[in-house]
Amino acid sequence: MKLLIGQILPYITIIIFVLGVFYRLGRWVGTQIIHNITLSDPWLKTNGQVAVRIGTEAFLFRNFFIFDKALWAGALLMHLSLLNVLGGHVVGFGTLGTQFAFIPGVSEQLSQSLSNDLGTIFGILLFVALAYLLIRRLSITPIKQLNKPSDILWLVFLLLIVGVGDIMRFFHQFHVEYEPVRDYVIALGTFQPVVNMELLSNPVFLVHFTLVNILLILFPFSKLMHLFGMFAERWIVNRTYHEPAPGMPNIDVAAARKAGLGLPSSGGGAESSSEGV
Amino acid sequence: MAEYKGMAQPSRASDEDMRKIHIEPVPDEQKPEKAVEYLDYIRKQFRSFVMAMETCTKCGQCAENCHTYLGTRDPNNIPANRAELIRKIYRRYFTLEGRWFGSLVGAEDISLDLIETWYSYFYQCSQCRRCGHVCPFGIDTCEVTFIGRQLLHWLGITPKLHSDVGAAMERVGNHTNMPKPALADTLEFMCEEAYDEFGVEIEMPLDKPADILYVPSSADFLLNPYTLMCAGMFFHYIGASWTIPSAVTEAGNFGFLFDQYYTQRHNIMRLLNAAQELDTKKIVWGECGHGWRAAKMYIPTKADRPVRWDITHLHDEAAHLIRNGELKLDPNKNSRPVTLHDPCNYVRACGLNENMRTCIKASCSNFVEMEPYGYDNFCCGGGSGILFDDPDMYNKRIQLSWKKAEQVRETGVGKNGDGILCAPCSICKAQLYPMVEEHNLGVEVKGLIDLVGKALVWD
Ligand code: HEM
Ligand code: SF4
Ligand code: SF4
């Protein structure tokens, strides 16, 4: 079991994840932007404007903010917490919680407790936000009408991963220190045997770790690819556009008016203020 | 047939009609297999389609933002579900997850029933792009509808309305089957009308080599005469050398709506040929929403040769002259309350938002915006030519215009029964003429150049 999950599975996961993502991206690259379907809402004139538009959509969820504040709050909270949790996994474990120590006046100890508290807070927020999105998915009529089983399963699955992760923080009998995790990852990365590591005797960790592996294996074949799809799609509909210049050839309005074009040569004609139009 | 297993459907072109537009209908038993084959062909081309298939997270934001869902509350009219009608097949035949997990991820085998479902729901979507405008990713369900309709067309399923229009265009160069003598008569008649009503003497040249090629909607010869007459007055007022090409008296391009391959390209080439023959220096487009999008955004990528002409919209040109102070307009000539319905293609695909407002504000003394307006505006419910008259579909059209009716009512412009609903697009007009009656809105539907033309001060 430890051999399978702790030693072998991670390599399989990485390979499938990387190949899978490249497979999906390759399928997209193989197609073309055939016609100009830029959205004129409004036209973007410079690449700077394009960057701002795509950036605010990707990181601040601009459209949700404009059209549905409740969804905006939930989705942003979920994704921001997720970003922090993922970031925390990398920097926190990587530096053993001393990531904030570079700030003047923050000691390593303070940094570690900061790292700990932030981890806990974002862990809870992420769980709450996922739960909120799940409840929304199960209660709002149009969204219920959109659901496929996988849409619900993904949220449940993520809740599970996050829930199990949170358990390791709340129940000290399952608590995991930063150091063994770092050592474990380093060992995997340098192809050292890890089976005898104590970390792998923690059943909750094993469950969390297995679920994450499954997540990464399924990722390239799931809707989670919207992480990349988002940019690919925006790259189609948000690009620069330049209007052809207005102004018609050989027009001299002043001369035309001076010549009285259109005014009846013989005088007369009907009242021009009639209500005909 | 106007109904299939409870679904409303537009009455369809006969096999004979389809042959007139060069399609040999696929027999029913082969349709499912062929549908997958055609889809495979097309999905390898369009990234916009692939991204719509593969990126949606089912967040549901598009639902309450599509007038078809608001008007019918039919789950299949949620944009993401409309796309799902093809996505099921896409998943099942072209993705690993669909093959492995089947219905868990919403994959489904192709069937004739599903194809019939496409026919119902891809002809309720008006390709208005409001879904793409509000989607967090910018997923444009309009692209899916385009392709759904294309597949149906290749299978031999096209509404009679659309196939007739396609055939008429090929025969005489406009959608209403008007031959050149009728066009000439109408133009002459309009010049007389302009004299009788506005006291001005104008010319409306047909096929006279000129600097400006004006492409009117053919509906303007019949249903919206003031739009054409006032465009003529505008050109005359500014002393333009202009003409209308009898080869293409059609600003619309239904090919864009049901066959983006042969039909759309054929219409485009016909126009470019005419422009060359008439010694054109610039092409100016008339009031037609989908047609303007098809011209402005698609001619560059669909034409078979490099395009030598700048193509602008009549409203662009009018607004330009207004901003330069070259048009003398008296807004008091249009003193009735006016609101503006923004044609979807103008505001979300062609950037006409500001220019329409420049024109209307300079020409009307009592202009009220509706809510929401501009880029956020809702479709009239007739977009993409779903102007079907068979009873089932006509009833749908009433439902599809529900949101528009609510918007117009809220402006209050029709409360005394003398309001004007400016809808500067032939399809919007054709949809709204009956709909303002159905919904009792107390407004008269007009074009935008109609208002500008009336406000012109000649002396
Ligand atoms: C730049 C990166 C990303 C952007 C812009 C983004 C954007 C979005 C948006 C706009 C939604 C729809 C709102 C919603 O339903 O909550 C969404 C949903 C979702 N995202 Fe992301 N996302 C990103 C990265 C990720 C990543 C890395 C994950 C990985 C686990 C993820 C997981 C999810 C899930 C599970 C949903 C569905 C929520 C639901 O069912 O309601 N996202 N994302
Ligand atoms: S708004 Fe976009 S992502 Fe959300 S359900 Fe609609 S198409 Fe899918
Ligand atoms: S294009 Fe318009 S009608 Fe069609 S699905 Fe999108 S919002 Fe609805």
Side-chain angles (χ1 to χ4, degrees):
Chain A
M1 201 58 183
K2 285 185 197 171
L3 179 69
L4 199 67
I5 293 172
Q7 183 84 66
I8 302 175
L9 182 62
Y11 296 122
I12 299 179
T13 302
I14 292 289
I15 291 170
I16 296 183
F17 177 81
V18 172
L19 291 183
V21 167
F22 276 106
Y23 164 72
R24 279 285 287 273
L25 296 182
R27 282 164 56 112
W28 301 348
V29 171
T31 57
Q32 287 178 305
I33 303 173
I34 302 204
H35 302 299
N36 187 339
I37 63 162
T38 315
L39 280 167
S40 63
D41 61 349
W43 291 130
L44 304 172
K45 298 211 171 67
T46 64
N47 283 325
Q49 289 176 346
V50 172
V52 168
R53 175 71 196 262
I54 298 184
T56 47
E57 294 287 2
F59 301 109
L60 299 173
F61 295 177
R62 175 182 177 274
N63 265 353
F64 283 160
F65 184 76
I66 299 174
F67 295 99
D68 185 347
K69 298 270 191 305
L71 175 53
W72 173 76
L76 195 65
L77 184 64
M78 191 277 270
H79 284 86
L80 277 187
S81 316
L82 179 72
L83 189 69
N84 277 282
V85 168
L86 290 179
H89 276 67
V90 176
V91 220
F93 291 123
T95 65
L96 302 183
T98 61
Q99 65 265 40
F100 302 110
F102 75 93
I103 304 171
V106 178
S107 67
E108 290 210 345
Q109 244 166 343
L110 182 59
S111 170
Q112 275 161 346
S113 74
L114 258 178
S115 167
N116 229 323
D117 294 345
L118 283 175
T120 310
I121 290 169
F122 281 115
I124 298 169
L125 285 180
L126 179 54
F127 191 87
V128 172
L130 282 166
Y132 170 76
L133 290 176
L134 181 60
I135 292 167
R136 182 177 166 277
R137 208 161 258 298
L138 298 175
S139 55
I140 297 180
T141 312
I143 302 167
K144 280 195 285 189
Q145 292 168 336
L146 276 171
N147 281 334
K148 292 283 173 276
S150 56
D151 296 316
I152 295 163
L153 286 176
W154 270 115
L155 284 173
V156 173
F157 189 65
L158 286 170
L159 275 169
L160 252 159
I161 298 185
V162 179
V164 174
D166 287 347
I167 287 177
M168 286 186 284
R169 284 199 169 260
F170 290 126
F171 299 90
H172 56 86
Q173 64 269 41
F174 301 121
H175 189 67
V176 175
E177 289 298 335
Y178 286 0
E179 207 166 341
V181 180
R182 184 190 62 174
D183 295 346
Y184 171 66
V185 174
I186 289 176
L188 278 179
T190 52
F191 301 100
Q192 311 289 319
V194 294
V195 224
N196 294 323
M197 288 189 153
E198 208 183 319
L199 182 64
L200 297 182
S201 323
N202 180 337
V204 185
F205 176 80
L206 269 191
V207 172
H208 184 70
F209 190 68
T210 313
L211 291 176
V212 170
N213 275 277
I214 297 174
L215 172 90
L216 291 176
I217 290 174
L218 294 176
F219 188 101
F221 311 100
S222 74
K223 70 185 222 181
L224 299 186
M225 280 296 284
H226 69 272
L227 165 61
F228 303 107
M230 143 102 217
F231 295 96
E233 175 71 61
R234 288 257 158 233
W235 185 239
I236 304 173
V237 295
N238 297 134
R239 29 184 64 223
T240 56
Y241 183 82
H242 299 284
E243 294 275 358
M248 290 176 282
N250 305 323
I251 299 283
D252 187 341
V253 187
R257 294 325 315 142
K258 208 160 163 213
L261 274 189
L263 292 174
S265 32
S266 55
E271 254 303 285
S272 63
S273 63
S274 83
E275 272 293 307
V277 172
Chain B
M1 190 184 346
E3 205 199 66
Y4 179 89
K5 301 196 176 169
M7 292 179 290
Q9 290 183 334
S11 44
R12 59 185 78 187
S14 68
D15 289 359
E16 217 31 64
D17 293 331
M18 291 307 289
R19 285 182 195 114
K20 280 190 207 144
I21 48 174
H22 318 290
I23 289 289
E24 190 57 38
V26 175
D28 275 358
E29 63 280 7
Q30 288 174 27
K31 279 194 174 105
E33 181 198 335
K34 286 286 173 195
V36 176
E37 186 186 316
Y38 300 157
L39 180 59
D40 192 27
Y41 168 74
I42 223 165
R43 70 155 180 122
K44 288 178 181 146
Q45 304 182 4
F46 286 86
R47 189 178 301 159
S48 53
F49 175 73
V50 169
M51 298 321 301
M53 289 293 107
E54 302 201 9
T55 301
C56 175
T57 56
K58 311 286 177 66
C59 71
Q61 166 114 306
C62 47
E64 304 282 352
N65 284 294
C66 171
H67 65 283
T68 71
Y69 182 65
L70 293 177
T72 62
R73 292 286 160 188
D74 181 334
N76 281 333
N77 272 332
I78 297 175
N81 265 347
R82 194 186 317 281
E84 191 71 21
L85 296 175
I86 289 194
R87 196 182 284 116
K88 294 172 183 187
I89 301 310
Y90 182 89
R91 282 245 166 82
R92 165 68 185 76
Y93 295 93
F94 311 123
T95 68
L96 295 170
E97 64 271 24
R99 274 179 228 155
W100 294 334
F101 302 116
S103 60
L104 191 70
V105 295
E108 190 181 300
D109 285 339
I110 184 78
S111 66
L112 201 56
D113 276 358
L114 185 61
I115 293 172
E116 293 292 342
T117 312
W118 292 354
Y119 186 50
S120 179
Y121 289 100
F122 290 132
Y123 280 98
Q124 291 182 51
C125 168
S126 49
Q127 310 184 327
C128 73
R129 306 187 84 197
R130 202 169 190 279
C131 46
H133 169 61
V134 305
C135 171
F137 309 123
I139 294 174
D140 197 349
T141 303
C142 173
E143 293 292 303
V144 181
T145 299
F146 281 149
I147 282 169
R149 291 185 180 187
Q150 186 73 52
L151 300 176
L152 288 166
H153 179 66
W154 281 338
L155 293 172
I157 307 176
T158 300
K160 174 126 175 81
L161 172 66
H162 290 65
S163 78
D164 282 355
V165 158
M169 186 71 197
E170 189 162 338
R171 211 172 65 83
V172 296
N174 60 55
H175 292 172
T176 40
N177 250 324
M178 283 180 93
K180 186 169 174 180
L183 296 170
D185 282 355
T186 311
L187 291 176
E188 203 175 304
F189 171 75
M190 280 183 179
C191 294
E192 288 163 17
E193 279 291 293
Y195 184 74
D196 290 348
E197 284 207 24
F198 301 104
V200 293
E201 273 176 4
I202 63 168
E203 272 173 67
M204 301 190 77
L206 187 67
D207 286 341
K208 183 180 119 192
D211 295 340
I212 297 160
L213 190 77
Y214 178 62
V215 187
S217 164
S218 63
D220 296 351
F221 285 82
L222 303 164
L223 297 169
N224 327 310
Y226 284 100
T227 302
L228 185 49
M229 196 194 309
C230 291
M233 284 162 53
F234 165 75
F235 284 122
H236 202 81
Y237 180 97
I238 62 174
S241 144
W242 70 293
T243 195
I244 293 171
S246 70
V248 184
T249 39
E250 187 52 77
N253 188 339
F254 266 41
F256 179 61
L257 308 175
F258 73 90
D259 175 22
Q260 295 200 347
Y261 288 74
Y262 178 80
T263 309
Q264 187 181 358
R265 169 170 285 123
H266 180 90
N267 294 353
I268 288 171
M269 293 319 293
R270 188 175 176 126
L271 174 78
L272 298 183
N273 294 348
Q276 184 176 27
E277 273 161 31
L278 293 171
D279 237 354
T280 300
K281 295 204 174 64
K282 186 166 195 178
I283 300 174
V284 175
W285 219 260
E287 294 194 350
C288 173
H290 84 279
W292 178 226
R293 182 178 181 204
K296 178 178 176 120
M297 307 309 285
Y298 283 68
I299 287 182
T301 40
K302 285 213 86 77
D304 290 327
R305 346 174 247 279
V307 181
R308 301 198 279 121
W309 303 277
D310 267 356
I311 309 179
T312 51
H313 195 279
L314 183 61
H315 302 160
D316 289 329
E317 298 297 351
H320 177 67
L321 292 174
I322 290 171
R323 274 194 294 267
N324 288 352
E326 296 187 72
L327 290 191
K328 203 170 155 202
L329 295 164
D330 177 6
N332 292 320
K333 292 191 186 182
N334 291 302
S335 56
R336 288 157 63 186
V338 184
T339 189
L340 174 65
H341 160 68
D342 291 274
C344 303
N345 283 294
Y346 283 179
V347 285
R348 283 188 286 272
C350 297
L352 257 181
N353 200 342
E354 292 303 320
N355 285 345
M356 279 192 289
R357 285 172 172 75
T358 302
C359 293
I360 205 164
K361 285 177 185 163
S363 314
C364 304
S365 57
N366 191 356
F367 169 61
V368 190
E369 290 280 16
M370 55 176 79
E371 273 304 321
Y373 68 94
Y375 318 119
D376 296 339
N377 192 33
F378 280 95
C379 175
C380 61
S384 80
I386 52 176
L387 301 164
F388 307 110
D389 278 335
D390 33 315
D392 275 0
M393 290 308 285
Y394 185 80
N395 284 335
K396 275 270 182 290
R397 278 171 63 193
I398 299 178
Q399 293 179 316
L400 299 183
S401 61
W402 173 84
K403 183 67 195 178
K404 184 87 277 158
E406 183 186 80
Q407 282 182 281
V408 175
R409 218 173 273 124
E410 279 172 3
T411 61
V413 296
K415 63 175 186 291
N416 296 327
D418 68 341
I420 292 178
L421 172 57
C422 175
C425 155
S426 278
I427 287 180
C428 301
K429 287 169 193 160
Q431 162 78 348
L432 291 170
Y433 287 144
M435 292 308 140
V436 297
E437 304 298 327
E438 298 287 355
H439 295 285
N440 244 322
L441 299 178
V443 294
E444 191 187 348
V445 178
K446 284 185 188 304
L448 178 53
I449 203 68
D450 311 28
L451 300 170
V452 175
K454 188 178 175 190
L456 284 172
V457 178
W458 292 77
D459 39 41

